[in-house]
Each structure stands twice: as structure tokens, then as C-alpha cells.
Amino acid sequence: ISRLPHPVARAGAWATARVLSSHAVGSDQSPLVSSGWLASVLASPTDAQSVRVIDCSVVEAYRRAHITGAVRLPIHYYLKEGNAPTSTEILSAKSVEGLCRMLGITHKTCVVTYDDNNALLASRLWFVLQHYGHPNVHVLDGGWHRWLTEGRPVTFHQVRIPPQDSSSDYSWIRAEGDVAQLDAVLAAATGDSGVQLVDARTTAEWGGVAPEGSRGNKYMGRVPQAVHFEWLNTVSTDDFRSFASPDQLRGMIQKAGIDVSRPIITYCQLVREP
């Protein structure tokens, strides 16, 4: 199977993964793959050996049914170091190496992620693997909803992958500089750094509307200077759950007042505090 190219431009925070449809499916820079492409690859015994399909849905959903040949994400889908979901840190390089070994992933593996939640969880794994330098990871456009709607092969049989042995090379796992630190966020919040903050949460969270906007946190509201761009608006609401087209995205971005020529830090809400 030929290696699929991966995107070069990245934003800087966890919500980055949710807004990943800036290129059309099948283009040279697309982080997405289509259900038709994946089905044709899995139908070929030779090509299927080069692809690892990872179901990022909760374990109960995976046990009920999943794409034939897909393995289950074996750790918490927040993919954070320490006690997920209350931890705030992205998985460490050591943890990512351990995860890749469990899933039988090397730098030569074409990784395709999906879920049943509008790519919310699948795009997190996409982001983490991209962050640590994997050259060939993609999100299935439409995920489980499209696959099931199109009547493609599913099963309830669990797939077990032999882990990679200790001799496998994981020197490619190196963190990229695409995660913003607190000082950069604080500088952007003053409006003096030239960096834009984009809040990818829901309208209720953005507006601090109780109780929907609290998500169990003590404080509500948003970071000063942030522009609102709700992640759910990038995915269709029909049975196919496709990502918006490039033209649709450009319209949304322009309407939100986001200047794509400037550096951007995106954020969402993933930590709950008492």
C-alpha cells in the first residue's frame, strides 16, 4: 500500500484535532481517508497487513460491533498522562511508545482512527500520533456512522494484535512544538502577542450557561480574547457524519472572525475540577 501524505500545518492545543477537515478527502494534504478507500484496502490481504484500524469508541461500543479488522484503543480515550480524565498533560513519549507497541504500530504502519462520536475521540489519537511524529496517520471521514450506513463489513469478534518486540525502532517518537504552554496562552489572552485564541467548545460552554456550560467545573466562561468556533459545526448531522468541505470550512472560519494568516492556539474543555 502506498504511503498517504500527512498534513504539515498544525495548530497548538487539544481542540486542534477536532477541526481537521481543512483539506478535501483524497487530496495530497488530507488527514482524512474515505470509507471506500478503507474498504478497498481491507479487502486486499496484502494491503490490509500494512494498515492498523483503531476503534477509539468506548469499550462497550467496540464489543457490540466494530469495523472488521479494527482493534480497540486499549487505554483511556483522553490520551493523557497520569490519571485520565482529570490529568492535564498529553501522553508522554514513553507512554506513546508503549501504546504503539501494544497496537503493533511502527513508523511504517498506516494508521486509520475512527469512533462513533463525530470523530471527537478518533481525532485525539490522530493528534497525539501526529504530535509525536508518526508520518502516516489518518481519521476515517464519517467514522462508524458512515461505515454502518453504507452497509460495510462489521463484526463483534475482538481483534488481538501481537505487540511489537523490543527490537522495534521507536526513535521516530519525538514531540513536535505544536502544543501551547500556559505562558503563550496568557500572552494571547492579553491581545498583545499577535496570536489568536480559538475556543472550540459548545455554545453553552463558551457562554458560561449553567448547567450545560459548567461540565462539572467550579468556574465557567472563556479565555479573554478568544474567538468561538464550535467543533460540532465541522461535522454533518446526517447519518454519514462527514466533515465539512474546504469551501464550507472557509466560510465558517471567515464568519467566526478567524484570521488564518496569524498563529492560532485552540482549546477546549477536558479537565473537571471540584
Short mmCIF file of all heavy atoms in Angstrom, two decimals, residues 72-136:
data_model
loop_
_atom_site.label_atom_id
_atom_site.label_comp_id
_atom_site.label_asym_id
_atom_site.label_seq_id
_atom_site.Cartn_x
_atom_site.Cartn_y
_atom_site.Cartn_z
N ARG A 72 -9.21 -2.33 19.31
CA ARG A 72 -9.72 -1.35 20.28
C ARG A 72 -8.58 -0.55 20.88
O ARG A 72 -7.52 -1.09 21.19
CB ARG A 72 -10.49 -2.07 21.38
CG ARG A 72 -11.11 -1.14 22.42
CD ARG A 72 -11.86 -1.92 23.47
NE ARG A 72 -10.98 -2.69 24.32
CZ ARG A 72 -10.36 -2.22 25.41
NH1 ARG A 72 -10.49 -0.94 25.76
NH2 ARG A 72 -9.60 -3.00 26.14
N LEU A 73 -8.81 0.76 21.06
CA LEU A 73 -7.84 1.57 21.79
C LEU A 73 -7.77 1.06 23.21
O LEU A 73 -8.77 1.08 23.94
CB LEU A 73 -8.28 3.04 21.77
CG LEU A 73 -7.33 4.04 22.42
CD1 LEU A 73 -6.02 4.13 21.64
CD2 LEU A 73 -7.98 5.43 22.50
N PRO A 74 -6.59 0.58 23.68
CA PRO A 74 -6.52 -0.13 24.96
C PRO A 74 -6.36 0.76 26.19
O PRO A 74 -6.26 0.25 27.30
CB PRO A 74 -5.28 -1.01 24.78
CG PRO A 74 -4.40 -0.21 23.88
CD PRO A 74 -5.33 0.52 22.93
N ILE A 75 -6.31 2.07 26.01
CA ILE A 75 -6.18 2.98 27.14
C ILE A 75 -7.30 4.01 27.08
O ILE A 75 -8.08 4.04 26.12
CB ILE A 75 -4.81 3.69 27.16
CG1 ILE A 75 -4.65 4.58 25.92
CG2 ILE A 75 -3.69 2.67 27.26
CD1 ILE A 75 -3.38 5.40 25.93
N HIS A 76 -7.40 4.86 28.11
CA HIS A 76 -8.47 5.86 28.14
C HIS A 76 -8.37 6.77 26.92
O HIS A 76 -7.29 7.24 26.55
CB HIS A 76 -8.38 6.69 29.42
CG HIS A 76 -9.61 7.48 29.70
ND1 HIS A 76 -9.88 8.67 29.05
CD2 HIS A 76 -10.65 7.25 30.54
CE1 HIS A 76 -11.04 9.15 29.48
NE2 HIS A 76 -11.53 8.33 30.39
N TYR A 77 -9.52 7.03 26.31
CA TYR A 77 -9.54 7.77 25.04
C TYR A 77 -9.13 9.23 25.16
O TYR A 77 -8.90 9.89 24.15
CB TYR A 77 -10.94 7.68 24.40
CG TYR A 77 -12.08 7.98 25.35
CD1 TYR A 77 -12.39 9.27 25.74
CD2 TYR A 77 -12.86 6.94 25.86
CE1 TYR A 77 -13.43 9.54 26.60
CE2 TYR A 77 -13.92 7.19 26.73
CZ TYR A 77 -14.20 8.49 27.10
OH TYR A 77 -15.23 8.75 27.96
N TYR A 78 -8.99 9.77 26.38
CA TYR A 78 -8.49 11.14 26.51
C TYR A 78 -7.00 11.23 26.19
O TYR A 78 -6.48 12.30 25.92
CB TYR A 78 -8.75 11.68 27.91
CG TYR A 78 -10.13 12.24 28.12
CD1 TYR A 78 -11.07 12.24 27.09
CD2 TYR A 78 -10.51 12.76 29.35
CE1 TYR A 78 -12.34 12.74 27.28
CE2 TYR A 78 -11.79 13.28 29.55
CZ TYR A 78 -12.69 13.25 28.51
OH TYR A 78 -13.95 13.76 28.71
N LEU A 79 -6.31 10.07 26.28
CA LEU A 79 -4.90 10.00 25.89
C LEU A 79 -4.05 11.03 26.64
O LEU A 79 -3.26 11.76 26.06
CB LEU A 79 -4.76 10.20 24.38
CG LEU A 79 -5.47 9.16 23.51
CD1 LEU A 79 -5.46 9.59 22.05
CD2 LEU A 79 -4.84 7.80 23.67
N LYS A 80 -4.24 11.05 27.95
CA LYS A 80 -3.48 11.99 28.78
C LYS A 80 -2.62 11.23 29.78
O LYS A 80 -2.96 10.11 30.18
CB LYS A 80 -4.43 12.94 29.50
CG LYS A 80 -5.16 13.87 28.54
CD LYS A 80 -5.84 15.01 29.25
CE LYS A 80 -7.03 14.53 30.03
NZ LYS A 80 -7.78 15.68 30.61
N GLU A 81 -1.52 11.83 30.15
CA GLU A 81 -0.58 11.20 31.07
C GLU A 81 -1.16 11.21 32.47
O GLU A 81 -1.79 12.19 32.90
CB GLU A 81 0.76 11.96 31.04
CG GLU A 81 1.89 11.22 31.71
CD GLU A 81 2.37 10.02 30.95
OE1 GLU A 81 2.02 9.85 29.77
OE2 GLU A 81 3.11 9.22 31.55
N GLY A 82 -0.97 10.13 33.20
CA GLY A 82 -1.43 10.09 34.58
C GLY A 82 -2.86 9.63 34.71
O GLY A 82 -3.33 8.76 33.98
N ASN A 83 -3.60 10.25 35.61
CA ASN A 83 -4.94 9.82 35.96
C ASN A 83 -5.98 10.46 35.05
O ASN A 83 -6.62 11.44 35.39
CB ASN A 83 -5.23 10.17 37.43
CG ASN A 83 -6.57 9.63 37.90
OD1 ASN A 83 -7.07 8.63 37.37
ND2 ASN A 83 -7.14 10.29 38.88
N ALA A 84 -6.17 9.88 33.86
CA ALA A 84 -7.20 10.39 32.96
C ALA A 84 -8.56 10.09 33.58
O ALA A 84 -8.74 9.05 34.22
CB ALA A 84 -7.08 9.74 31.60
N PRO A 85 -9.60 10.94 33.43
CA PRO A 85 -9.58 12.16 32.63
C PRO A 85 -9.20 13.44 33.37
O PRO A 85 -9.29 14.52 32.80
CB PRO A 85 -11.03 12.25 32.16
CG PRO A 85 -11.81 11.70 33.31
CD PRO A 85 -10.96 10.59 33.88
N THR A 86 -8.79 13.34 34.65
CA THR A 86 -8.50 14.56 35.40
C THR A 86 -7.12 15.12 35.12
O THR A 86 -6.83 16.26 35.47
CB THR A 86 -8.63 14.30 36.91
OG1 THR A 86 -7.75 13.22 37.27
CG2 THR A 86 -10.06 13.90 37.26
N SER A 87 -6.25 14.35 34.50
CA SER A 87 -4.92 14.84 34.16
C SER A 87 -5.01 15.92 33.09
O SER A 87 -5.96 15.97 32.31
CB SER A 87 -4.05 13.68 33.65
OG SER A 87 -2.83 14.16 33.14
N THR A 88 -4.01 16.78 33.06
CA THR A 88 -3.99 17.86 32.06
C THR A 88 -2.88 17.70 31.03
O THR A 88 -2.80 18.48 30.10
CB THR A 88 -3.81 19.22 32.75
OG1 THR A 88 -2.56 19.22 33.45
CG2 THR A 88 -4.94 19.49 33.72
N GLU A 89 -2.04 16.69 31.19
CA GLU A 89 -0.87 16.56 30.33
C GLU A 89 -1.08 15.55 29.21
O GLU A 89 -1.64 14.47 29.44
CB GLU A 89 0.36 16.15 31.16
CG GLU A 89 0.76 17.15 32.24
CD GLU A 89 1.23 18.46 31.65
OE1 GLU A 89 1.86 18.44 30.57
OE2 GLU A 89 0.97 19.52 32.27
N ILE A 90 -0.61 15.86 28.03
CA ILE A 90 -0.64 14.94 26.91
C ILE A 90 0.23 13.73 27.24
O ILE A 90 1.16 13.81 28.05
CB ILE A 90 -0.12 15.64 25.63
CG1 ILE A 90 -0.31 14.75 24.40
CG2 ILE A 90 1.33 16.06 25.79
CD1 ILE A 90 0.05 15.46 23.10
N LEU A 91 -0.08 12.59 26.66
CA LEU A 91 0.73 11.39 26.87
C LEU A 91 2.21 11.67 26.64
O LEU A 91 2.57 12.39 25.71
CB LEU A 91 0.29 10.28 25.92
CG LEU A 91 -0.96 9.45 26.25
CD1 LEU A 91 -1.18 8.42 25.16
CD2 LEU A 91 -0.84 8.79 27.60
N SER A 92 3.05 11.09 27.46
CA SER A 92 4.49 11.24 27.29
C SER A 92 4.97 10.39 26.13
O SER A 92 4.27 9.49 25.66
CB SER A 92 5.22 10.82 28.57
OG SER A 92 5.06 9.42 28.76
N ALA A 93 6.18 10.68 25.66
CA ALA A 93 6.77 9.89 24.57
C ALA A 93 6.88 8.43 24.98
O ALA A 93 6.63 7.53 24.17
CB ALA A 93 8.14 10.46 24.20
N LYS A 94 7.25 8.16 26.22
CA LYS A 94 7.37 6.79 26.70
C LYS A 94 6.02 6.08 26.67
O LYS A 94 5.93 4.91 26.25
CB LYS A 94 7.93 6.78 28.12
CG LYS A 94 8.14 5.38 28.68
CD LYS A 94 8.76 5.43 30.07
CE LYS A 94 8.97 4.01 30.63
NZ LYS A 94 9.57 4.06 31.99
N SER A 95 4.97 6.78 27.06
CA SER A 95 3.63 6.18 27.04
C SER A 95 3.16 5.93 25.62
O SER A 95 2.50 4.93 25.33
CB SER A 95 2.64 7.09 27.78
OG SER A 95 2.95 7.18 29.15
N VAL A 96 3.48 6.85 24.71
CA VAL A 96 3.10 6.67 23.31
C VAL A 96 3.84 5.48 22.71
O VAL A 96 3.27 4.69 21.95
CB VAL A 96 3.38 7.95 22.49
CG1 VAL A 96 3.23 7.70 21.00
CG2 VAL A 96 2.44 9.06 22.94
N GLU A 97 5.09 5.32 23.07
CA GLU A 97 5.84 4.15 22.60
C GLU A 97 5.18 2.86 23.09
O GLU A 97 5.00 1.90 22.33
CB GLU A 97 7.28 4.20 23.06
CG GLU A 97 8.08 2.97 22.64
CD GLU A 97 9.53 3.01 23.06
OE1 GLU A 97 10.06 4.11 23.31
OE2 GLU A 97 10.15 1.92 23.12
N GLY A 98 4.80 2.84 24.37
CA GLY A 98 4.13 1.67 24.91
C GLY A 98 2.81 1.39 24.21
O GLY A 98 2.48 0.23 23.92
N LEU A 99 2.05 2.46 23.91
CA LEU A 99 0.79 2.31 23.20
C LEU A 99 1.01 1.74 21.80
O LEU A 99 0.29 0.84 21.36
CB LEU A 99 0.08 3.66 23.13
CG LEU A 99 -1.24 3.69 22.34
CD1 LEU A 99 -2.27 2.79 22.98
CD2 LEU A 99 -1.76 5.13 22.23
N CYS A 100 2.01 2.28 21.10
CA CYS A 100 2.30 1.80 19.76
C CYS A 100 2.73 0.33 19.77
O CYS A 100 2.36 -0.44 18.88
CB CYS A 100 3.39 2.65 19.12
SG CYS A 100 2.84 4.30 18.63
N ARG A 101 3.48 -0.06 20.77
CA ARG A 101 3.88 -1.46 20.87
C ARG A 101 2.66 -2.35 21.09
O ARG A 101 2.55 -3.42 20.49
CB ARG A 101 4.88 -1.64 22.01
CG ARG A 101 6.26 -1.05 21.73
CD ARG A 101 7.25 -1.40 22.83
NE ARG A 101 8.54 -0.76 22.62
CZ ARG A 101 9.49 -1.23 21.81
NH1 ARG A 101 9.28 -2.34 21.14
NH2 ARG A 101 10.64 -0.59 21.68
N MET A 102 1.74 -1.92 21.95
CA MET A 102 0.53 -2.71 22.21
C MET A 102 -0.32 -2.87 20.95
O MET A 102 -0.94 -3.90 20.73
CB MET A 102 -0.30 -2.05 23.31
CG MET A 102 0.21 -2.29 24.71
SD MET A 102 -0.98 -1.73 25.97
CE MET A 102 -0.83 0.04 25.83
N LEU A 103 -0.36 -1.82 20.13
CA LEU A 103 -1.19 -1.82 18.94
C LEU A 103 -0.45 -2.36 17.71
O LEU A 103 -1.04 -2.43 16.63
CB LEU A 103 -1.69 -0.40 18.65
CG LEU A 103 -2.68 0.16 19.68
CD1 LEU A 103 -2.93 1.64 19.42
CD2 LEU A 103 -3.99 -0.62 19.66
N GLY A 104 0.82 -2.71 17.86
CA GLY A 104 1.58 -3.21 16.73
C GLY A 104 1.86 -2.15 15.68
O GLY A 104 1.93 -2.44 14.49
N ILE A 105 2.05 -0.91 16.13
CA ILE A 105 2.27 0.21 15.22
C ILE A 105 3.75 0.54 15.16
O ILE A 105 4.41 0.69 16.18
CB ILE A 105 1.49 1.46 15.68
CG1 ILE A 105 -0.01 1.23 15.57
CG2 ILE A 105 1.90 2.70 14.88
CD1 ILE A 105 -0.83 2.34 16.17
N THR A 106 4.29 0.65 13.95
CA THR A 106 5.63 1.17 13.73
C THR A 106 5.52 2.41 12.87
O THR A 106 4.41 2.82 12.48
CB THR A 106 6.53 0.14 13.02
OG1 THR A 106 6.10 0.00 11.65
CG2 THR A 106 6.45 -1.23 13.71
N HIS A 107 6.65 3.04 12.54
CA HIS A 107 6.60 4.24 11.70
C HIS A 107 6.19 3.91 10.27
O HIS A 107 5.83 4.80 9.50
CB HIS A 107 7.96 4.94 11.70
CG HIS A 107 9.03 4.21 10.96
ND1 HIS A 107 9.61 3.06 11.44
CD2 HIS A 107 9.61 4.45 9.75
CE1 HIS A 107 10.51 2.63 10.58
NE2 HIS A 107 10.54 3.45 9.56
N LYS A 108 6.19 2.61 9.91
CA LYS A 108 5.78 2.20 8.56
C LYS A 108 4.30 1.87 8.47
O LYS A 108 3.76 1.71 7.38
CB LYS A 108 6.60 0.98 8.12
CG LYS A 108 8.09 1.24 7.98
CD LYS A 108 8.81 -0.02 7.54
CE LYS A 108 10.31 0.23 7.39
NZ LYS A 108 11.02 -1.00 6.97
N THR A 109 3.63 1.79 9.61
CA THR A 109 2.21 1.43 9.63
C THR A 109 1.34 2.60 9.21
O THR A 109 1.51 3.72 9.68
CB THR A 109 1.79 0.98 11.06
OG1 THR A 109 2.68 -0.02 11.53
CG2 THR A 109 0.37 0.45 11.05
N CYS A 110 0.39 2.33 8.32
CA CYS A 110 -0.64 3.33 8.00
C CYS A 110 -1.74 3.19 9.05
O CYS A 110 -2.39 2.14 9.14
CB CYS A 110 -1.20 3.09 6.61
SG CYS A 110 -2.58 4.18 6.18
N VAL A 111 -1.93 4.21 9.87
CA VAL A 111 -2.90 4.17 10.97
C VAL A 111 -4.17 4.91 10.57
O VAL A 111 -4.11 6.05 10.08
CB VAL A 111 -2.31 4.80 12.25
CG1 VAL A 111 -3.33 4.76 13.39
CG2 VAL A 111 -1.02 4.09 12.65
N VAL A 112 -5.32 4.26 10.76
CA VAL A 112 -6.61 4.89 10.50
C VAL A 112 -7.44 4.81 11.78
O VAL A 112 -7.66 3.73 12.32
CB VAL A 112 -7.36 4.20 9.35
CG1 VAL A 112 -8.74 4.84 9.15
CG2 VAL A 112 -6.56 4.26 8.06
N THR A 113 -7.87 5.96 12.28
CA THR A 113 -8.65 6.01 13.51
C THR A 113 -10.11 6.35 13.21
O THR A 113 -10.42 7.01 12.22
CB THR A 113 -8.09 7.07 14.48
OG1 THR A 113 -8.39 8.38 13.97
CG2 THR A 113 -6.58 6.93 14.64
N TYR A 114 -11.00 5.87 14.07
CA TYR A 114 -12.42 6.22 13.92
C TYR A 114 -13.12 6.07 15.26
O TYR A 114 -12.59 5.45 16.20
CB TYR A 114 -13.10 5.36 12.85
CG TYR A 114 -13.47 3.96 13.30
CD1 TYR A 114 -14.73 3.66 13.82
CD2 TYR A 114 -12.55 2.92 13.22
CE1 TYR A 114 -15.06 2.38 14.23
CE2 TYR A 114 -12.86 1.64 13.63
CZ TYR A 114 -14.13 1.37 14.14
OH TYR A 114 -14.45 0.10 14.56
N ASP A 115 -14.35 6.62 15.37
CA ASP A 115 -15.17 6.43 16.55
C ASP A 115 -16.63 6.59 16.16
O ASP A 115 -16.97 6.73 14.98
CB ASP A 115 -14.78 7.40 17.67
CG ASP A 115 -14.98 8.86 17.32
OD1 ASP A 115 -16.00 9.19 16.67
OD2 ASP A 115 -14.14 9.71 17.69
N ASP A 116 -17.51 6.59 17.16
CA ASP A 116 -18.95 6.76 16.92
C ASP A 116 -19.43 8.09 17.49
O ASP A 116 -20.60 8.24 17.81
CB ASP A 116 -19.73 5.60 17.53
CG ASP A 116 -19.53 5.47 19.04
OD1 ASP A 116 -18.71 6.24 19.61
OD2 ASP A 116 -20.19 4.62 19.66
N ASN A 117 -18.51 9.05 17.61
CA ASN A 117 -18.84 10.32 18.26
C ASN A 117 -18.31 11.51 17.46
O ASN A 117 -17.58 12.35 17.99
CB ASN A 117 -18.30 10.33 19.69
CG ASN A 117 -18.83 11.48 20.52
OD1 ASN A 117 -19.79 12.15 20.14
ND2 ASN A 117 -18.20 11.72 21.67
N ASN A 118 -18.64 11.56 16.18
CA ASN A 118 -18.27 12.69 15.33
C ASN A 118 -16.77 12.95 15.27
O ASN A 118 -16.33 14.10 15.15
CB ASN A 118 -19.00 13.96 15.79
CG ASN A 118 -20.50 13.83 15.73
OD1 ASN A 118 -21.06 13.43 14.70
ND2 ASN A 118 -21.18 14.14 16.81
N ALA A 119 -15.99 11.87 15.38
CA ALA A 119 -14.52 11.94 15.31
C ALA A 119 -13.90 12.65 16.51
O ALA A 119 -12.71 12.96 16.50
CB ALA A 119 -14.04 12.58 14.02
N LEU A 120 -14.67 12.88 17.56
CA LEU A 120 -14.14 13.54 18.75
C LEU A 120 -12.97 12.77 19.35
O LEU A 120 -11.95 13.36 19.72
CB LEU A 120 -15.26 13.67 19.79
CG LEU A 120 -14.86 14.18 21.18
CD1 LEU A 120 -14.37 15.61 21.09
CD2 LEU A 120 -16.04 14.07 22.14
N LEU A 121 -13.11 11.46 19.46
CA LEU A 121 -12.07 10.64 20.09
C LEU A 121 -11.03 10.20 19.08
O LEU A 121 -9.83 10.15 19.39
CB LEU A 121 -12.72 9.43 20.77
CG LEU A 121 -13.87 9.76 21.72
CD1 LEU A 121 -14.47 8.48 22.29
CD2 LEU A 121 -13.40 10.67 22.85
N ALA A 122 -11.47 9.88 17.87
CA ALA A 122 -10.53 9.45 16.83
C ALA A 122 -9.53 10.55 16.50
O ALA A 122 -8.35 10.28 16.27
CB ALA A 122 -11.30 9.05 15.58
N SER A 123 -9.99 11.78 16.50
CA SER A 123 -9.09 12.88 16.16
C SER A 123 -8.10 13.17 17.28
O SER A 123 -7.03 13.72 17.04
CB SER A 123 -9.90 14.15 15.84
OG SER A 123 -10.73 14.52 16.91
N ARG A 124 -8.43 12.77 18.50
CA ARG A 124 -7.46 12.91 19.59
C ARG A 124 -6.27 11.99 19.36
O ARG A 124 -5.12 12.40 19.52
CB ARG A 124 -8.13 12.60 20.93
CG ARG A 124 -9.15 13.64 21.37
CD ARG A 124 -9.73 13.29 22.73
NE ARG A 124 -8.74 13.36 23.78
CZ ARG A 124 -8.33 14.48 24.37
NH1 ARG A 124 -8.83 15.64 24.00
NH2 ARG A 124 -7.44 14.44 25.34
N LEU A 125 -6.55 10.74 18.97
CA LEU A 125 -5.45 9.83 18.68
C LEU A 125 -4.67 10.31 17.46
O LEU A 125 -3.44 10.23 17.44
CB LEU A 125 -5.99 8.41 18.44
CG LEU A 125 -4.94 7.34 18.13
CD1 LEU A 125 -3.88 7.26 19.23
CD2 LEU A 125 -5.61 5.98 17.94
N TRP A 126 -5.38 10.81 16.46
CA TRP A 126 -4.71 11.39 15.29
C TRP A 126 -3.75 12.49 15.73
O TRP A 126 -2.59 12.53 15.30
CB TRP A 126 -5.77 11.96 14.33
CG TRP A 126 -5.22 12.76 13.20
CD1 TRP A 126 -4.80 12.28 11.99
CD2 TRP A 126 -5.03 14.18 13.16
NE1 TRP A 126 -4.36 13.32 11.19
CE2 TRP A 126 -4.49 14.49 11.88
CE3 TRP A 126 -5.26 15.21 14.06
CZ2 TRP A 126 -4.18 15.80 11.51
CZ3 TRP A 126 -4.95 16.51 13.68
CH2 TRP A 126 -4.42 16.79 12.41
N PHE A 127 -4.21 13.37 16.60
CA PHE A 127 -3.39 14.48 17.05
C PHE A 127 -2.16 14.00 17.82
O PHE A 127 -1.04 14.48 17.61
CB PHE A 127 -4.20 15.44 17.92
CG PHE A 127 -3.37 16.52 18.55
CD1 PHE A 127 -2.92 17.59 17.80
CD2 PHE A 127 -3.01 16.45 19.88
CE1 PHE A 127 -2.12 18.58 18.37
CE2 PHE A 127 -2.21 17.42 20.47
CZ PHE A 127 -1.77 18.49 19.71
N VAL A 128 -2.36 13.06 18.75
CA VAL A 128 -1.25 12.59 19.58
C VAL A 128 -0.17 11.93 18.73
O VAL A 128 1.02 12.20 18.90
CB VAL A 128 -1.76 11.62 20.67
CG1 VAL A 128 -0.60 10.93 21.37
CG2 VAL A 128 -2.61 12.37 21.69
N LEU A 129 -0.58 11.07 17.80
CA LEU A 129 0.41 10.40 16.94
C LEU A 129 1.10 11.41 16.03
O LEU A 129 2.31 11.31 15.77
CB LEU A 129 -0.25 9.29 16.13
CG LEU A 129 -0.71 8.08 16.95
CD1 LEU A 129 -1.37 7.04 16.04
CD2 LEU A 129 0.43 7.46 17.73
N GLN A 130 0.35 12.39 15.52
CA GLN A 130 0.97 13.45 14.73
C GLN A 130 1.96 14.24 15.58
O GLN A 130 3.06 14.55 15.13
CB GLN A 130 -0.11 14.40 14.21
CG GLN A 130 -0.91 13.87 13.04
CD GLN A 130 -0.22 14.13 11.73
OE1 GLN A 130 0.23 15.24 11.47
NE2 GLN A 130 -0.12 13.11 10.90
N HIS A 131 1.57 14.54 16.79
CA HIS A 131 2.41 15.32 17.69
C HIS A 131 3.75 14.63 17.94
O HIS A 131 4.78 15.30 18.04
CB HIS A 131 1.68 15.53 19.02
CG HIS A 131 2.50 16.17 20.09
ND1 HIS A 131 2.95 17.47 20.01
CD2 HIS A 131 2.98 15.68 21.27
CE1 HIS A 131 3.66 17.77 21.09
NE2 HIS A 131 3.70 16.70 21.87
N TYR A 132 3.73 13.32 18.00
CA TYR A 132 4.96 12.58 18.26
C TYR A 132 5.64 12.07 16.99
O TYR A 132 6.53 11.23 17.06
CB TYR A 132 4.69 11.43 19.23
CG TYR A 132 4.61 11.91 20.66
CD1 TYR A 132 3.39 11.99 21.32
CD2 TYR A 132 5.75 12.32 21.33
CE1 TYR A 132 3.31 12.45 22.63
CE2 TYR A 132 5.69 12.79 22.63
CZ TYR A 132 4.47 12.85 23.28
OH TYR A 132 4.41 13.32 24.57
N GLY A 133 5.22 12.58 15.83
CA GLY A 133 5.98 12.36 14.62
C GLY A 133 5.60 11.19 13.76
O GLY A 133 6.36 10.83 12.84
N HIS A 134 4.46 10.55 14.02
CA HIS A 134 4.09 9.44 13.13
C HIS A 134 3.77 10.00 11.74
O HIS A 134 2.98 10.94 11.62
CB HIS A 134 2.88 8.66 13.66
CG HIS A 134 2.72 7.34 12.96
ND1 HIS A 134 2.25 7.24 11.67
CD2 HIS A 134 2.99 6.07 13.37
CE1 HIS A 134 2.23 5.96 11.32
NE2 HIS A 134 2.68 5.24 12.33
N PRO A 135 4.37 9.45 10.68
CA PRO A 135 4.24 10.05 9.35
C PRO A 135 3.00 9.65 8.57
O PRO A 135 2.78 10.15 7.47
CB PRO A 135 5.49 9.53 8.63
CG PRO A 135 5.70 8.18 9.23
CD PRO A 135 5.32 8.32 10.69
N ASN A 136 2.15 8.78 9.11
CA ASN A 136 1.10 8.21 8.27
C ASN A 136 -0.13 7.83 9.08
O ASN A 136 -0.49 6.66 9.18
CB ASN A 136 1.65 6.98 7.55
CG ASN A 136 0.83 6.59 6.33
OD1 ASN A 136 -0.06 7.31 5.92
ND2 ASN A 136 1.15 5.44 5.76
#
